[in-house]
Amino acid sequence: MTDQHKENNTTHFGFRTVDKNKKADMVADIFDSVSAKYDLMNDLMSFGIHRLWKRFTIESSAVRPGQKILDLAGGTGDFTAKFSRMAGEKGEVILADINSSMLMIGREKIRNQGRINNIHYVQANAESLPFCDNYFDCITFAFGLRNVTEKEKALSSILRVLKPGGRLLVLEFSAPVFPWLRKIYDVYSFHVLPKMGKIVAQDEQSYRYLAESIRMHPDQDTLKLMMMNAGFEQVTYSNLTGGIVALHRGFKF
């Protein structure tokens, strides 16, 4: 086997190099481990700021009554619950996640809120979405793209199921734009965050992977180019909290 062939069959899992065929299962193990404390850890890790990132994303979605929305890597359903109200009775919202543990928690959380009429739950891989062509008006992909093995395949799959005129919103950790913030963020990510995971979620290793996966994810301009290469148009991004997180927008025409 040539070195090039070997390279094509491997990918990164945090800072480790692993077989591409194994990454999805390894990511699944991470989320099986953290799913029960996922919402609590989000609040603690971001000091609650993740709620502002999500609010900005929802405001950028321009979702209207009667539309079809896909909340991809929807996890515990924060976006789905909001979109359910925005789409109304004639709309449709699908919470999709590759991880069954996260999907189950999201479904129970939303049902406890009493929002079930226009919501469906689908276990799905972003690289090969099980939906019809030109189906969704809006797709959100929040904090999930960095865990995907073949990001280009996922973006192409998303483009296929979007309607002409539909939009994709990718909310993801990114690269801080200020050197001083980058230094603080590195200390927090690699020293504070894993310890927090150990204390709260009894899982230090999963939160060490989280920090590593963020560093391995494409930066703002690289992701913008990837979306354009996949066929999205009018691709822009907004840096949030100094670039710790970025919201990328792209349209299908």
Side-chain angles (χ1 to χ4, degrees), residues 66-93:
Q67 289 190 326
K68 294 180 174 66
I69 301 98
L70 174 61
D71 180 12
L72 189 56
T76 56
D78 287 344
F79 283 107
T80 294
K82 296 285 187 181
F83 287 141
S84 174
R85 291 195 294 266
M86 294 168 71
E89 293 182 2
K90 295 183 178 180
E92 179 184 9
V93 184

Side-chain angles (χ1 to χ4, degrees), residues 94-140:
I94 294 179
L95 194 166
D97 202 293
I98 195 172
N99 185 268
S100 59
S101 299
M102 297 293 290
L103 199 62
M104 181 174 63
I105 289 174
R107 180 169 52 202
E108 181 156 346
K109 177 179 168 183
I110 289 171
R111 285 180 173 176
N112 287 340
Q113 296 173 352
R115 303 185 186 96
I116 58 173
N117 292 338
N118 62 352
I119 299 175
H120 303 284
Y121 305 87
V122 177
Q123 187 170 358
N125 187 331
E127 295 175 24
S128 54
L129 293 170
F131 306 112
C132 299
D133 294 0
N134 306 314
Y135 190 78
F136 295 101
D137 297 283
C138 179
I139 297 177
T140 56

Side-chain angles (χ1 to χ4, degrees), residues 160-177:
R160 178 184 64 79
V161 302
L162 264 182
K163 289 180 180 179
R167 71 181 66 197
L168 166 66
L169 302 172
V170 179
L171 182 67
E172 188 55 270
F173 293 107
S174 201
V177 296

